[in-house]
Amino acid sequence: MSEESDQDRTEEASEKRLREAREKGELPRSRELSTGVVVLAGVSSILATRDELALHARNIMMLGVRYNREDLYSADGISHVLSAAALEALRMLAPLFVVTIVAAFAAPALLGGLNFSGQALLPKFDRLNPIAGFGRIFSTNGFVELGKSMLKLVLIGGVLVWYMMKSRADMLGTGSGDVAAGVHRSLGTIGQACLFFACVLGLIGLIDAPWQKFSFAKKMRMTKQQVKDEHKESDGNPEMKGRIRSMQIQMSRRRMMQDIPKADVVVVNPSHFAVALSYEDAMRAPRVVAKGMDVIAMQIRSVAGAHRVPLVEAAPLARALYNTTEVGQEIPATLFVAVAQILAYVFRLKTALAQGDAMPEKPNPDVDPDLLGRYRMNDEN
């Protein structure tokens, strides 16, 4: 099953998958590289401050072997010596502690960056499964870890044995001579041995780091189905989005039809376009309350006729209003004059009908053809 799954994972990991893995504390890490950096930082600190280390070590040894009469007969003589030795040891090791702590935090940033995850601290009981444990042991990663362990054993052990044989005379001579010189020589020998250790471990880490990045990228790969599911989750189900969009259009159309009785006039094409306009004294300009083409235009004409809203045929103006203005917006300034002619005609028409006067002449507003956009007039309509 795992082999089939690995074969199916042909797609690169998405940003969402990598972000979720980071939140779980899953990042490419090389223990050999981190250990090598920490040891190298510590060794460098020892070699750079070995004179001060030798001085502090000498002071600690002197505190341990030298007593005066007051210390022997004093009740707190031993505690005084121990506290002085502890303070001296703290002064000696403080630079080393600071350097190694900084290196321990900085080393992971070389490969996967700094990251803190609370989920990584939670116990994972699936690791207690012996079958899964055997699977990890005999996996490709398990054989790689075994190879690294054998390589570390051979290289580090061989280099340290070679160095011990090489510096055997120096190590045997540290017990003779001045104390300060012996401590200084011991620290130098230990520092060089640790330096060889750090270099070998760092070399293994430089080999291991690309493998860890490759292994992590391979683990994070996704199947085509996972990519599709993630797109659905992030972008939403297309069918559901279409259904929501359809419901929104229906609700908007229903509100639009409810506003038609409040309109002052409906400008028509005569049949392909219909735009309902409303104008009140508080408005800066007439406002479109409804508009539509074809079937929607027929519905607007029907609702307007049922509520006795005047219909005025002005084909270029109807198309220009449909092209330039959305429902709820005020008409553009370039159409003020044309719409004013229509509203004035409607006012005169209502007055004539109320008083029994002659019908006013219907206007033919002049409209800039560029305002019609893709709804320009042709011979058919």
Side-chain angles (χ1 to χ4, degrees), residues 205-217:
L206 291 177
I207 299 174
D208 180 56
W211 163 255
Q212 293 297 336
K213 294 188 70 172
F214 169 77
S215 178
F216 179 77

Side-chain angles (χ1 to χ4, degrees), residues 28 46 265 283 285 332 338:
I46 292 175
V265 64
M283 295 182 181

Side-chain angles (χ1 to χ4, degrees), residues 136-179:
R136 288 193 296 269
I137 292 175
F138 294 102
S139 64
T140 303
N141 190 62
F143 286 115
V144 171
E145 293 297 327
L146 177 62
K148 287 193 299 183
S149 299
M150 296 298 295
L151 184 63
K152 286 190 289 185
L153 178 63
V154 172
L155 290 181
I156 296 175
V159 169
L160 292 181
V161 168
W162 166 81
Y163 180 73
M164 289 176 62
M165 296 297 294
K166 177 178 177 296
S167 58
R168 179 174 56 181
D170 292 336
M171 289 189 290
L172 293 176
T174 54
S176 60
D178 183 64
V179 174

Side-chain angles (χ1 to χ4, degrees), residues 74 155 333 337:
S74 175
L155 290 181
V337 175

